[in-house]
Structure formats: C-alpha cells, structure tokens
Amino acid sequence: MARYAPYDPSPRPWPSLSAATRRAGPDDAAGIAAIEAERRDVDPAALVDRIRAALVRGRDKVWVALHQDAIVGYARLIFLEAGIVARRGEARGVVTGYHLMGLGVAERVWRRGVGRALTQVRLDWAAGAGAERVHYTCNAENAASLA
C-alpha cells in the first residue's frame, strides 16, 4: 500500500524548498524509482526498467523536481480519450482531457512545496497545450490531497 503525506493544515515550520522542475527523460528512471519505492516499500531496482520503458515510450508527460541535483519528486500528466478507455472496458467515469496522475515526493522533503511546484508545471503545460480544464482524482486514503 502506498504511503501518503499526512494531512496537516498548520503552517509549515520550515521554508519551502528551492526545487527546479524539468521534463523527465530515461536517465531519470532510477531517481523516480527511488521515490516510488519509498512510497510503496519495495525495492527500487524492481521498478527502474518499467519506469525507463515508460519514459522512452513518451506517451505520458512526466516532470521531475530537483534539489541540489537530486530528484526529490516526480509527476505525470496524461491525456485520456473517454471513448478509447471505454473500449478497453476501463471507462468508470473517465472524461476526455488531461489528467493529473502519479505525483510522488521524497519523504524527506514532504510539505516543502515540491508537490505544489510539480502540480503547477503540469497545469501550465496543459494550459499551453490548449486545455481549458484539467482533471484530477486521488486515492481515498490520501487525506492531504482530499483536503
């Protein structure tokens, strides 16, 4: 089961992290795998090849956040067409358009603005691609995102 940052509405006692964002490439697979492995409590080596292959395919738009040259977060943006998803039998409420997906932040930098920066870069990219709205769903156990 994935771990999520706990919901905490109180002001952060530390400053936001200065993190740059950029589009991810295949060479970022190990850094993304390390964050995903931390969230899911699995061996990152088991994830690297699958993540690298997805980055090479390039279907999803993926960004990474970097702090001191280390990947501290990643996030995906995908475009779904409801008709195609329905033909695969996976339609359950899917609407055509861009969808925010798969945001992960290294636990050591939770609540430091990394997730917010990754969300903003995806929203900006989608707007630049002509999207008038972007869709989002999250796991019911992710209290911080639900708040």
Side-chain angles (χ1 to χ4, degrees):
M1 168 146 331
R3 289 194 322 248
Y4 303 101
Y7 172 65
D8 182 359
S10 61
R12 293 180 212 123
W14 50 82
S16 292
L17 192 72
S18 174
T21 58
R22 65 165 170 76
R23 286 290 293 274
D27 291 342
D28 297 319
I32 294 170
I35 293 167
E36 189 63 18
E38 179 183 63
R39 288 181 62 235
R40 298 183 183 280
D41 198 25
V42 299
D43 180 6
L47 304 173
V48 172
D49 289 341
R50 180 180 56 83
I51 292 169
R52 182 175 291 114
L55 291 169
V56 167
R57 274 193 313 274
R59 184 187 65 150
D60 299 352
K61 310 299 183 231
V62 182
W63 284 264
V64 291
L66 301 127
H67 177 67
Q68 298 177 343
D69 296 324
I71 294 174
V72 294
Y74 74 92
R76 293 174 37 227
L77 176 73
I78 66 172
F79 187 86
L80 293 175
E81 291 188 43
I84 292 171
V85 174
R87 284 192 294 277
R88 290 192 315 231
E90 304 168 4
R92 298 187 310 262
V94 172
V95 295
T96 296
Y98 286 102
H99 294 256
L100 300 177
M101 303 290 285
L103 181 127
V105 175
E107 189 170 341
R108 70 185 181 280
V109 296
W110 277 356
R111 296 186 45 83
R112 302 282 304 272
V114 174
R116 177 173 288 149
L118 286 164
T119 297
Q120 190 62 56
V121 74
R122 292 180 294 164
L123 292 172
D124 291 346
W125 190 94
E132 293 182 11
R133 77 179 49 168
V134 175
H135 307 279
Y136 173 71
T137 56
C138 71
N139 187 305
E141 297 176 12
N142 189 344
S145 285
L146 290 170

